[in-house]
Amino acid sequence: LFVVLSQSYSVLTNTAEPKKRATLFNRLKSPIVRSTNFINELTVEADERTPLIKKNKIFGVSKDLAIECMGEVVGTAILIGVGTAACACAITKGGADLGVAATWSWIIAAMIACLSHVSGAHFNPAISIANKIIRPDSMTWWKVLFFSVSQFLGASIGSFATLNLYAAPILAFEKRTGVIRSTATGHKSAAIVALFYPSPNLQLAVPGYPSILTATMMEIIGTGLLAFVAFSLGHGKNKIQDSSGSKPIIIGFTVGTIATIFGPITMAGLNPAR
């Protein structure tokens, strides 16, 4: 195309007579107009054949918002899927809590690095709501609702995947420990994908165990610390630039630290979708 236009320009500029120049220009213009009309016809025909993606909307939702929600679904599904898989390994095979915390650390760092440009990488309704409150112009409440639904959906997909992939080890664990799902002992295996207080798989003496009020305060502090780090790193005056790639790592280490400290008591939820 560049060569053709260059040659055409050369012919036009070297044609001295105005009438011949106008004739050549019209000859060049005609196929371009026909090509443009043909492309427009194809576009209209494609729009008619794809009603789900029409007028920049997908299922009636703006395409940009739909893409952001898909990013939240995918990111939360992978995050929760990998994290609960680590819990499954620890509970059924007797793995270390530090290994679970490390897994949560790197997977959240990886998802933030991969999807922050798509949806902002919230993966947590608490972060989405806090973002709206702290930065009112950043998103509407409708967007917060769509994000929250997407995060719950993603978390459900991730947990469902873990339950299916680890079905045999979970059944073996239940048989070995005498767990019956329909009884009070069922929470020992359900802790793989859900949160329980007190943590059912810790060998701690019941006397002196932190109260439910203490555990609640620990969850508030842990979630607040996570939000503090995330929003501080995203502040406009923060000198840590996105190009350094350190933000996802810092947030990942923060999650791992909180999980290490609070996990043995509250299992470190930090996330309503979790």
Side-chain angles (χ1 to χ4, degrees):
L1 179 62
F2 176 77
V3 172
V4 170
L5 291 176
S6 300
Q7 293 172 345
S8 302
Y9 177 78
S10 177
V11 170
L12 288 173
T13 53
N14 292 329
T15 303
E17 299 180 12
K19 290 184 178 181
K20 291 183 178 180
R21 187 182 303 173
T23 301
L24 288 172
F25 177 76
N26 289 331
R27 290 179 180 175
L28 289 171
K29 180 180 177 182
S30 181
I32 294 175
V33 172
R34 288 199 302 271
S35 300
T36 304
N37 292 337
F38 177 69
I39 292 173
N40 290 335
E41 290 175 2
L42 286 180
T43 304
V44 172
E45 184 178 357
D47 286 341
E48 292 175 352
R49 292 181 180 179
T50 54
L52 298 181
I53 305 175
K54 191 173 182 180
K55 296 182 179 179
N56 206 32
K57 289 188 176 182
I58 301 177
F59 294 107
V61 180
S62 69
K63 185 180 292 186
D64 291 340
L65 178 57
I67 292 173
E68 289 177 329
C69 289
M70 284 188 281
E72 289 295 303
V73 171
V74 171
T76 310
I78 297 175
L79 170 64
I80 300 300
V82 172
T84 53
C87 293
C89 291
I91 291 175
T92 61
K93 301 297 182 183
D97 290 334
L98 287 177
V100 176
T103 302
W104 282 105
S105 295
W106 77 257
I107 190 58
I108 194 169
M111 289 301 100
I112 292 174
C114 292
L115 294 170
S116 60
H117 68 289
V118 177
S119 63
H122 293 185
F123 311 142
N124 187 335
I127 296 297
S128 297
I129 293 172
N131 187 68
K132 171 61 180 175
I133 295 173
I134 295 174
R135 304 166 181 163
D137 297 332
S138 62
M139 56 195 308
T140 64
W141 282 112
W142 275 112
K143 187 174 182 178
V144 172
L145 177 61
F146 275 103
F147 267 39
S148 298
V149 171
S150 301
Q151 291 151 0
F152 281 114
L153 176 61
S156 300
I157 294 172
S159 298
F160 183 76
T162 296
L163 282 178
N164 280 272
L165 291 173
Y166 283 85
I170 292 172
L171 288 174
F173 166 77
E174 291 174 341
K175 185 177 180 179
R176 185 174 67 253
T177 57
V179 171
I180 301 175
R181 295 186 183 183
S182 60
T183 66
T185 60
H187 66 297
K188 290 187 177 181
S189 59
I192 291 172
V193 293
L195 300 173
F196 292 93
Y197 164 83
S199 179
N201 295 287
L202 290 174
Q203 302 301 320
L204 295 177
V206 175
Y209 206 87
S211 66
I212 184 66
L213 179 60
T214 301
T216 302
M217 291 303 300
M218 292 174 71
E219 282 293 305
I220 293 174
I221 293 172
T223 308
L225 178 59
L226 172 61
F228 170 75
V229 172
F231 287 110
S232 296
L233 290 174
H235 195 279
K237 294 183 179 180
N238 195 308
K239 295 183 179 180
I240 297 180
Q241 301 298 321
D242 291 335
S243 58
S244 66
S246 60
K247 290 183 180 180
I249 298 174
I250 294 174
I251 295 175
F253 279 148
T254 301
V255 171
T257 302
I258 297 171
T260 301
I261 297 173
F262 295 156
I265 307 299
T266 68
M267 298 185 69
L270 312 179
N271 187 340
R274 166 81 172 89

